[in-house]
Amino acid sequence: MAIPSLRTAFCRVARHLLRDWTKRQPSDWRALQRELDLWSKRGRKLRFWWRDDDARTDTPALGRLFDLAGRFDMPLALAVIPVGAEESLVRRLDREPRVRVLQHGWDHANHAEPARPAEFGDSRDPAEVQAQLSEGRRRLEKLFSSRFLPVLVPPFNRLSRHLDGAVADAGYCFISLHGDFAGLPLASRNPHLDVIDWEKNAAAEPEHLVRTALAAIKLRRYGLVSSRLPVGIVTHHLVHDEPVWDLVEELLRRVRRHPAIEVPEIEQIFAA
């Protein structure tokens, strides 16, 4: 068995401690308001961003997503699956100047155990992965031109450590997973707030969302994580029901108009 690197071991411990600490955070929206007020009183800004996953084509749900982003004046990173990406999506994005496209794997197929799915899991051959990522990148660049940013969003938020080199060799300097302390050599910009409870296939509990937000924000206020690293939300427009849409809107209403929040363009999120 390979001995984990110091980076990997540190991040594994950090994630474990963070999960425990998150559970002890306050759970009401007023606590989030008070935390953001602290940033304002100290003249500090918290960077916030939004990623939505699994796009391939234009749909009514995608239109609803863009309408919501427009109402709250939010830039949006759309993670697009190269296999099956359609021209209808290109035409729809022509009307959305603040949307940028990231690469969501190759075909979003699971190559691991059903209980722990991963497109880029331990069983994958690095050469095959590199070839697929490179072809996916060519497809998205051709479709979306300058709207496409060379950022990899691994499906199921998992990337096996032995594939780091394949990702880098395919031309990616950034990846986007979930949460802090990814433990990968590649730079990452990750959302933290998933509005879906995937075990229940239902909207996440607002209390859990608040605790997660507070933990991420306090890590940055205390200097344990760089305050330049953004805190973000991740959505999956194709599977939202009304409670999920309501939760997204509530979260955006709570944070977007607070003076401590800034929302850089997506290109700035992935600047070095």
Side-chain angles (χ1 to χ4, degrees):
M1 180 180 297
I3 299 174
S5 68
L6 286 177
R7 181 204 297 266
T8 300
F10 169 81
C11 288
R12 186 177 300 159
V13 172
R15 288 194 300 270
H16 175 76
L17 294 173
L18 179 57
R19 282 193 295 270
D20 184 62
W21 188 52
T22 298
K23 294 175 183 177
R24 299 199 299 269
Q25 297 301 314
S27 61
D28 63 280
W29 290 110
R30 290 172 297 178
L32 180 59
Q33 177 77 27
R34 290 193 296 270
E35 174 63 27
L36 293 175
D37 289 345
L38 278 177
W39 285 68
S40 288
K41 290 176 182 177
R42 298 178 183 185
R44 300 181 65 183
K45 293 287 187 179
L46 178 71
R47 287 154 59 95
F48 189 83
W49 75 299
W50 185 359
R51 192 189 87 200
D52 183 89
D53 291 358
D54 300 345
R56 279 189 168 114
T57 187
D58 187 16
T59 63
L62 188 72
R64 185 170 181 177
L65 179 82
F66 291 160
D67 288 345
L68 192 58
R71 281 176 51 201
F72 287 95
D73 195 23
M74 281 289 297
L76 181 66
L78 192 66
V80 176
I81 303 166
V83 173
E86 297 182 0
E87 288 285 347
S88 67
L89 183 59
V90 179
R91 293 191 295 272
R92 185 64 178 84
L93 288 185
D94 284 342
R95 312 204 307 266
E96 304 296 335
R98 301 189 78 187
V99 176
R100 294 295 177 267
V101 170
L102 314 182
Q103 182 171 339
H104 200 24
W106 164 244
D107 60 3
H108 209 292
N110 180 26
H111 293 265
E113 294 295 325
R116 190 172 171 78
E119 181 175 344
F120 302 128
D122 295 340
S123 66
R124 297 301 307 278
D125 173 57
E128 180 185 41
V129 168
Q130 181 183 340
Q132 290 180 344
L133 290 180
S134 297
E135 175 59 24
R137 178 175 176 173
R138 284 191 290 270
R139 291 188 187 191
L140 296 182
E141 286 176 334
K142 182 177 180 180
L143 282 170
F144 300 104
S145 187
S146 61
R147 287 183 178 274
F148 172 71
L149 303 180
V151 177
L152 177 65
V153 181
F156 312 104
N157 286 311
R158 293 193 177 97
L159 176 67
S160 179
R161 302 299 188 269
H162 80 290
L163 297 174
D164 293 343
V167 174
D169 290 343
Y172 293 90
C173 297
F174 286 94
I175 59 173
S176 185
L177 294 164
H178 185 80
D180 291 310
F181 307 113
L184 294 169
L186 295 166
S188 64
R189 300 290 184 268
N190 306 327
H192 303 75
L193 310 176
D194 194 333
V195 295
I196 298 175
D197 181 334
W198 293 99
E199 292 184 359
K200 297 179 180 178
N201 284 320
E205 292 292 334
E207 294 83 2
H208 172 72
L209 214 59
V210 170
R211 291 189 189 101
T212 304
L214 283 171
I217 296 169
K218 288 179 180 180
L219 283 176
R220 286 151 176 78
R221 179 160 62 86
Y222 298 157
L224 299 172
V225 170
S226 171
S227 61
R228 295 297 297 168
L229 289 177
V231 173
I233 176 177
V234 60
T235 56
H236 293 76
H237 66 279
L238 289 173
V239 298
H240 288 191
D241 58 13
E242 287 304 317
V244 174
W245 285 115
D246 290 344
L247 183 59
V248 175
E249 185 167 351
E250 177 73 6
L251 176 62
L252 292 175
R253 183 165 51 246
R254 294 281 181 173
V255 302
R256 177 61 184 96
R257 294 180 177 131
H258 195 284
I261 296 292
E262 64 177 7
V263 287
E265 300 301 322
I266 301 302
E267 292 93 334
Q268 295 174 283
I269 294 293
F270 292 99

